[in-house]
Amino acid sequence: MVALSSFGQRLRELRRLAGLTIEELSEASGVSARAISDMERGRSRAPQARTLSALADALGLDGSDRARLVEWTRSRRSESAVGRPRGGELPRSVREFVGRVPELRLLRRHGTAGSDDGPTPVVVVHGPPGVGKTTFAVHAAGQLRDRFVDGQLHVDLRGTDAAPMDAGEALTRLLRALDVSPRAIADDEAERAGQLRAVLRRRRCLLVLDNAASEAQVRPLLPGAGAGLVVVTSRRTLGGLEGVLRIGLPPLAPVESAGLLRALVRDLADRATAQDVEAVARLCGHLPLALRIAGTRLASRPEWTMAHLAARLSDADRRLAGLAVGDLGVEPAFALSYAQLPGPARAMFRRLAHVPGVDFAAPLAAVLTGTGPHDAEDQLEELVELGLLQPVGFDRYRFHDLIRLFAEKRLRDEEPADTRSATGHRMTDWLLETAIVAGRWFEPGFGAPPADWRGLVPLDTAERAQSWLQVEADNWLAALRGAAAAGQHQRVVDVAESMHWYSDRMTHWGHWSEVYQLSSAAAARLPDRRQEITHINYHAWAQAVCGRRYDDSAALAMDAYRLAGELGDIGEQANALSYAGDAWRFAGDYGRALWAYCRAQELADSAGNHDEFVQMGLGVGLALIGLGRFDEALAELRTVLREVDTRPVAPSPKNAAQVVARVFSARALAELRRWPEAIEEATAVLPAATGFGALTPLGHLHLALGRAYAALGSTEEARGHLVRAGELFEEGGAREGATELARSALAALDV
C-alpha cells in the first residue's frame, strides 16, 4: 500500500476498503463518529496510541499495514509536537488503593452513559480534606482508560489557594493540552469556553477538574454535548451546578483502613497484631491522607512497630503533629479550609470544640457564638460545604475526630483563656437550664414551660421536650458532670429532680445511675437533709431498674429509710420502702417485696401522699403476680384504678398508674387463662400504653395478647404480638425472665 501524505486520506481509504461507513467504524471502534470525520478531513491531530489501536482493530488491520500505519502516525505526532510540550497529564496514580467500590461503580455507570449528541456527563466528587478525592478520581480515570480513547486530561484548579486559578487560565491550559495552537486560542474567556466545547464535542475525552473552588470557576470548563466525561473534585458540594451526579466520599470503613495500612507497610503489618493495626486506623480517623502519612512514617522508621505508632497517636494533644511527614500533614490540609472561612464562621468552628457530645444542632451552636439560630444554621452549612463538619440526619452536625482536634487547637491558640471559660460556662448553663424545663414537662405540678420561657428550642409539647432530652442527652449529661465537678450542688440536684418522672419513661437509657449518684452526692453537701433522702432513693431506683444491681439498690433504699426515720419524715420512709420493694421484686424476693409495698402504702396513706399510695398499690399487685396469686393481683390492680379516680392524684402519676394497672391486669387475666377478657383489656389499653412510651410494660401487653391469641388458635396474630413483645423487652432492657416468657410462647407456636 502506497504511503499517503495525509493521515486523514489514509484513514478514509482504509475505511472504504473495509466497506465501512463512518458510523459503522465508530460503533466498531468506540471512537466517536465526529472524531473520525474530523480526522479524515484533517481537522484534528494524529490520534493517540489507544485511539489508533481501536481504529486498526475495527478496520481489521494486521501485519505490515498495521505496523506502517502505527509508525506513520507516531512520526506525524512527533513532528507536530516539536516546540509544543503537552500539558494536562493525569497525576501519578497510587498503587495501594482500597475500597470505594460502590462509588467507583456509580461513577463508571454514569461515565459510560454519554453519547455523541447528548450532554456530556459530569460527576462532582466531594468530601472533607484528606478523604482522597484526587486519588479516587485518578484511579477511576485509570479504570476508564479504554473508554476515553481520545485522551484523559487533568488540571489543578487550586481551589484551596488564597487565589484559585481563574477559569480563563484553566481554559487556556486545557485547549493547549488538546493541541489547539496558542495563536488560535481566543482572548475572550467566553469565546475560549466555546472553543473548548467545540473541541470536546468531537473527541471522547475524560477531564479531571481537580480541587475546584466554586461553581463559577467550573462552569466555563464544562463541555456541552459529547461522549466524554468530566470528573470535578472539590471540598465543596458545588450545589449550584445543575444536571450533575454528586458522589460524596466519607472516611474509609474500618476494614478498608486496616487494608490500606497493611498495603502501605506490608512487612511491618505482617508482624503487627490486628488490634494494633485497627488502633492506628481508628486513631487516623479512617482518613486516607492520615493513613498514608502513618504508613509512610512507619516505612521510613523500620525500628518502629505498629504498636509504637498507636501509642504515639493515642495522645490527643500530639496526634495532629504525629500525622505529618515531609511536606504532607493532616493539620495543613484542614488549615486550608479554615482559612477560607469568614470571621464569624471561623469563630463558630473553633467554639464548637466546646461541645462535649458527639453531635449537636443549631441552637447549641448559637449559644456558643451569641448569634441567632438562623444565622448559626447558615454558618454550620458553610462548615459542611467546606468539609469541616458532617451533617447527621435532618438538622444535626458532627466533627470528624481529627477535625475536632484541629478545632480544639484553633480554640486554644486563637482565644484567651477567660473567653474560653466564659463560652464554656454559657453553654453549660444553657444546657442545664433547658434540661430542667424539658424534664419538668413530666413532673406533677409543672408541665408546659412558664410563660416567660424564651429558650432557643421549642418545648411547647411534651413530645418536643422528650425529643430534645433524647437527642441532646450526651451534651446535657456532660454539662451535669461539669456542674458537679465545679461544686454547683443545687444546680445538679435541680436537674436530677426535674428528671424524676421523665426517667420512668426512659428506663432503658444507660446513665440514670450516674445522674442520681451525682445528685445524691451533691445533696449530701447541702443543708436540706430531705433532699439527700430523696436523691438517695432516686439512686436506689436507678441501681435496680437501670443497673440491675439489686443488692446495692436495696441497701441504698434502706439507708434512706433509716435517715428518714431519724428526721421523722414518714413520706420519705414510704418512698424508701417502695424502692426497696422494687429491688427485692426484681431480684425475685417477692415475699419481702410484698411486705415493703404494703408497709410503704400504709405510710404514704398516713402522710397524705396520694401519688405514692397508688404507686404502692401497683407494687402490691406486681408482687402478687410474682407469687402466683393472680386472683389477688387482679383485685389489687382494680382497686388501684378505683383509688386513682377517687384520690387527688396528680396528672402524670395518674396516667402512669392507670396504664400500668391495666397492662398488668391483662397479664393477670392471661395467667388465669381468661383469654377473651385478657384480649379485651389489652386491646383497650394498647393505645395509651403505646403513647406512654415505657417499653417493658408495652412488651408485657403484647405478651398477654400473644398468649391469648395463641390459646384461641389465632396463630399468626399471636406470632406478631410475641415477636413484638420480644423486641420491646430487648430494647427496653427487661429482665431475662420477661424475655424468656416471650421466647417460650413463640417457640410453642411451632411445636
Side-chain angles (χ1 to χ4, degrees):
M1 184 175 289
V2 179
L4 301 175
S5 60
S6 165
F7 172 76
Q9 292 174 351
R10 186 174 184 78
L11 178 61
R12 184 184 298 112
E13 181 175 323
L14 289 169
R15 174 176 61 78
R16 288 175 176 172
L17 286 173
L20 298 174
T21 66
I22 287 178
E23 289 73 19
E24 289 170 338
L25 179 56
S26 172
E27 184 175 353
S29 65
V31 181
S32 70
R34 191 181 300 275
I36 295 172
S37 175
D38 286 347
M39 290 179 207
E40 290 187 356
R41 289 183 292 170
R43 291 189 174 183
S44 65
R45 61 181 173 85
Q48 294 292 309
R50 292 191 303 276
T51 305
L52 180 63
S53 177
L55 290 170
D57 289 343
L59 292 167
L61 298 181
D62 55 17
S64 60
D65 284 344
R66 187 184 188 103
R68 288 164 62 189
L69 182 65
V70 169
E71 181 59 33
W72 186 89
T73 307
R74 184 182 298 118
S75 66
R76 298 299 295 170
R77 188 182 299 114
S78 299
E79 293 169 8
S80 66
V82 172
R84 289 196 297 155
R86 282 177 53 81
E89 294 294 330
L90 288 173
R92 181 170 178 260
S93 61
V94 299
R95 181 175 59 183
E96 306 87 0
F97 186 93
V98 301
R100 309 301 192 200
V101 174
E103 293 88 352
L104 286 167
R105 186 185 302 119
L106 181 60
L107 188 147
R108 287 196 302 269
R109 185 166 62 245
H110 191 72
T112 56
S115 63
D116 289 347
D117 299 323
T120 300
V122 178
V123 179
V124 174
V125 179
H126 60 91
V131 82
K133 299 178 289 293
T134 299
T135 300
F136 172 83
V138 172
H139 185 78
Q143 292 188 335
L144 292 168
R145 183 177 294 111
D146 294 339
R147 167 75 179 177
F148 298 101
V149 294
D150 291 331
Q152 296 179 317
L153 304 177
H154 170 273
V155 59
D156 182 358
L157 298 176
R158 301 200 303 266
T160 54
D161 287 7
M165 180 185 293
D166 64 66
E169 172 65 17
L171 286 165
T172 298
R173 292 189 179 210
L174 287 170
L175 287 168
R176 294 192 64 177
L178 290 163
D179 285 338
V180 176
S181 168
R183 292 187 298 274
I185 296 175
D187 292 332
D188 180 76
E189 183 179 306
E191 292 182 16
R192 236 176 292 173
Q195 286 180 300
L196 181 64
R197 289 193 294 272
V199 172
L200 292 176
R201 184 174 301 176
R202 301 191 299 268
R203 301 187 190 179
R204 196 181 292 268
C205 289
L206 186 152
L207 264 60
V208 177
L209 305 179
D210 199 14
N211 192 14
S214 66
E215 295 89 340
Q217 184 190 38
V218 170
R219 280 196 188 95
L221 312 180
L222 299 181
L229 172 66
V230 180
V231 179
V232 184
T233 75
S234 179
R235 296 186 180 192
R236 298 180 180 271
T237 59
L238 302 181
L241 294 180
E242 297 179 350
V244 305
L245 171 69
R246 288 181 175 79
I247 298 178
L249 295 185
L252 294 174
V255 66
E256 295 170 341
S257 297
L260 178 55
L261 273 177
R262 291 185 182 281
L264 289 165
V265 284
R266 289 180 176 83
D267 294 340
L268 181 59
D270 289 342
R271 300 193 302 271
T273 67
Q275 291 83 356
D276 289 338
V277 175
E278 290 165 4
V280 172
R282 175 178 51 79
L283 291 166
C284 289
H286 308 294
L287 198 67
L289 175 61
L291 292 162
R292 291 188 179 280
I293 291 171
T296 301
R297 292 201 70 182
L298 281 170
S300 64
R301 298 292 299 272
E303 69 276 14
W304 283 12
T305 65
M306 193 74 72
H308 174 75
L309 180 58
R312 290 178 65 93
L313 294 177
S314 63
D315 183 347
D317 291 335
R318 298 175 56 197
R319 192 174 308 157
L320 291 180
L323 291 173
V325 60
D327 61 349
L328 286 178
V330 170
E331 185 175 355
F334 298 157
L336 288 171
S337 288
Y338 182 69
Q340 292 185 309
L341 293 171
R346 286 191 197 183
M348 172 169 286
F349 172 77
R350 59 181 180 261
R351 288 184 179 183
L352 286 171
H354 282 291
V355 178
V358 173
D359 55 47
F360 46 85
L364 184 52
V367 171
L368 289 167
T369 56
T371 59
H374 295 303
D375 291 338
E377 190 170 347
D378 290 342
Q379 292 170 6
L380 289 167
E381 287 299 318
E382 176 68 13
L383 297 178
V384 169
E385 180 71 6
L386 275 171
L388 292 173
L389 278 184
Q390 302 169 7
V392 181
F394 173 66
D395 61 353
R396 297 186 70 78
Y397 306 85
R398 65 177 297 169
F399 278 121
H400 180 274
D401 290 348
L402 294 179
I403 295 180
R404 176 185 282 276
L405 294 179
F406 176 71
E408 290 173 355
K409 188 172 187 301
R410 295 271 59 79
L411 183 66
R412 290 194 302 269
D413 291 350
E414 297 182 29
E415 296 197 5
D418 57 347
T419 301
R420 298 198 304 270
S421 178
T423 303
H425 285 140
R426 185 167 67 246
M427 177 192 70
T428 296
D429 289 345
W430 180 81
L431 282 167
L432 296 182
E433 178 186 356
T434 308
I436 289 171
V437 174
R440 281 178 174 167
W441 250 111
F442 311 97
E443 281 286 301
F446 285 96
D452 60 352
W453 166 251
R454 295 293 182 268
L456 293 177
V457 293
L459 298 177
D460 52 320
T461 67
E463 290 73 20
R464 285 181 169 177
Q466 180 165 325
S467 175
W468 187 89
L469 288 169
Q470 288 175 320
V471 299
E472 296 292 353
D474 287 348
N475 291 320
W476 67 254
L477 176 59
L480 187 69
R481 293 176 185 138
Q488 298 177 16
H489 305 309
Q490 192 58 57
R491 174 58 67 91
V492 172
V493 169
D494 290 343
V495 172
E497 183 63 46
S498 74
M499 298 293 163
H500 175 48
W501 284 93
Y502 169 69
S503 61
D504 271 341
R505 291 172 167 248
M506 298 292 294
T507 55
H508 53 285
W509 189 52
H511 297 282
W512 292 122
S513 290
E514 181 184 2
V515 169
Y516 293 124
Q517 187 277 326
L518 290 173
S519 67
S520 59
R525 292 171 171 82
L526 294 169
D528 186 349
R529 303 306 302 278
R530 285 178 172 78
Q531 278 194 143
E532 181 182 0
I533 298 168
T534 297
H535 287 269
I536 292 173
N537 278 330
Y538 293 167
H539 190 197
W541 169 85
Q543 290 282 64
V545 174
C546 308
R548 301 188 182 187
R549 293 184 286 272
Y550 306 125
D551 290 342
D552 292 343
S553 172
L556 282 168
M558 294 311 291
D559 284 344
Y561 178 71
R562 284 188 289 272
L563 182 55
E566 293 172 8
L567 297 179
D569 190 329
I570 61 174
E572 287 298 344
Q573 282 186 298
N575 290 333
L577 283 176
S578 75
Y579 291 121
D582 288 341
W584 289 322
R585 176 167 62 86
F586 296 155
D589 191 347
Y590 297 111
R592 188 183 288 185
L594 182 60
W595 167 82
Y597 289 137
C598 289
R599 178 60 181 150
Q601 192 174 41
E602 293 172 4
L603 292 169
D605 197 22
S606 62
N609 187 336
H610 304 289
D611 295 352
E612 187 67 17
F613 178 86
V614 297
Q615 294 300 318
M616 290 309 92
L618 292 174
V620 171
L622 295 175
L624 289 168
I625 287 176
L627 290 167
R629 293 155 60 177
F630 303 118
D631 282 317
E632 295 175 68
L634 184 60
E636 183 63 33
L637 293 169
R638 287 177 172 171
T639 298
V640 168
L641 290 171
R642 289 194 299 272
E643 293 288 348
V644 163
D645 286 334
T646 58
R647 289 175 178 258
V649 181
S652 186
K654 179 176 182 177
N655 178 54
Q658 289 173 325
V659 169
V660 173
R662 296 190 69 186
V663 164
F664 285 95
S665 291
R667 165 79 186 275
L669 288 166
E671 296 291 351
L672 292 167
R673 300 180 181 272
R674 292 160 60 174
W675 307 121
E677 293 175 75
I679 291 174
E680 181 180 4
E681 183 69 24
T683 302
V685 75
L686 183 58
T690 303
F692 183 64
L695 301 181
T696 299
L698 189 57
H700 280 287
L701 199 60
H702 282 283
L703 175 61
L705 283 165
R707 293 177 62 197
Y709 279 118
L712 296 175
S714 299
T715 304
E716 289 310 309
E717 196 157 6
R719 189 184 307 277
H721 284 294
L722 293 172
V723 168
R724 182 60 180 145
E727 293 171 347
L728 289 164
F729 288 146
E730 184 173 352
E731 185 180 353
R735 283 163 296 285
E736 190 63 24
T739 306
E740 280 302 314
L741 281 173
R743 289 174 182 164
S744 299
L746 190 59
L749 293 177
D750 299 320
V751 175

